[in-house]
Amino acid sequence: MANPKTRQRDATKTRENIIIVAQRHFTAKGFDACGVREIAAEAGVDPALINRYFGSKTGLFEEAVINEITVEALLEGDKESFGKRIAGIMVNKDMSGQALDPTAVVANSIASPTVGAMLARMMEERLIPQIASWLGGRYPEQRAALIVSTLLGYEILGRLAKLGSLKHPNSEAVTEKFARSLQLYVDDK
């Protein structure tokens, strides 16, 4: 008979919890600055369990980040308000409580010798083609890549480098100009 005090572990819930914790760490610090031990500690599991479930830290990154980043939310809404909508999100983004932030995790991990190429391939093979298909018109792949590079540039300079000129009290002006630059890529047919 099993000891009633023995805690039954739900493998599916444990795996999901590890992914959420890993997403938070990879978003905040990037792949290279995160350790399996710190992810495991916050998830309340032994580090060996991460290797058992995901094979390696790279496998965890692939499942928690590469397989989870999508552009559907980016493309919701009409094309006419794209620039204003996305610039508003980027400028006013609140990272608290969010497990996975696509622009932050890419900006923090793209230079990684381990996962940088994986991120670039994911953008080139999956994200940019989806945005390009939504854009239509002339040169949609280049316009989609320019949208992605603009978003990542803002993430790097505004959030990581914390440039004061991209923050309050200029946030309305920044949002307006950012929106116009994004909208140009959408409207350029």
Side-chain angles (χ1 to χ4, degrees):
M1 177 176 242
N3 182 348
K5 292 183 180 182
T6 303
R7 191 173 74 170
Q8 292 284 325
R9 193 174 282 278
D10 180 336
T12 302
K13 285 184 181 177
T14 300
R15 185 180 177 84
E16 288 171 4
N17 185 48
I18 293 168
I19 288 173
I20 290 167
V21 170
Q23 288 172 337
R24 216 173 18 253
H25 281 263
F26 292 140
T27 293
K29 297 179 180 183
F31 178 83
D32 292 335
C34 291
V36 168
R37 290 187 186 282
E38 70 182 298
I39 293 169
E42 187 178 325
V45 300
D46 187 286
L49 195 57
I50 291 177
N51 286 334
R52 181 172 159 217
Y53 284 160
F54 305 100
S56 64
K57 180 177 149 185
T58 303
L60 174 59
F61 186 84
E62 185 169 9
E63 190 155 336
V65 175
I66 299 296
N67 294 345
E68 294 298 319
I69 292 179
T70 65
V71 294
E72 281 78 16
L74 187 72
L75 305 178
E76 287 177 355
D78 59 48
K79 291 179 184 174
E80 293 74 25
S81 65
F82 177 84
K84 187 175 184 176
R85 186 174 69 252
I86 302 308
I89 290 169
M90 292 296 291
V91 171
N92 300 305
K93 185 169 25 172
D94 177 13
M95 294 292 291
S96 62
Q98 186 171 340
L100 179 63
D101 181 295
T103 54
V105 76
V106 171
N108 281 322
S109 300
I110 194 70
S112 168
T114 308
V115 298
M118 188 186 306
L119 283 166
R121 190 171 45 256
M122 178 263 306
M123 288 187 289
E124 192 74 37
E125 293 175 359
R126 197 173 80 225
L127 301 186
I128 290 172
Q130 287 177 315
I131 297 168
S133 176
W134 178 80
L135 287 171
R138 292 180 338 133
Y139 311 112
E141 292 83 13
Q142 289 80 11
R143 292 171 27 235
L146 287 165
I147 288 170
V148 171
S149 68
T150 302
L151 296 176
L152 288 173
Y154 182 83
E155 186 71 38
I156 290 167
L157 295 177
R159 206 146 340 278
L160 299 178
K162 298 179 179 163
L163 289 185
S165 53
L166 293 177
K167 298 291 179 202
H168 183 75
N170 301 322
S171 64
E172 285 183 33
V174 169
T175 303
E176 180 187 324
K177 288 170 180 34
F178 191 16
R180 277 192 271 153
S181 67
L182 288 170
Q183 196 62 45
L184 282 172
Y185 300 131
V186 174
D187 296 341
D188 181 25
K189 298 183 177 26

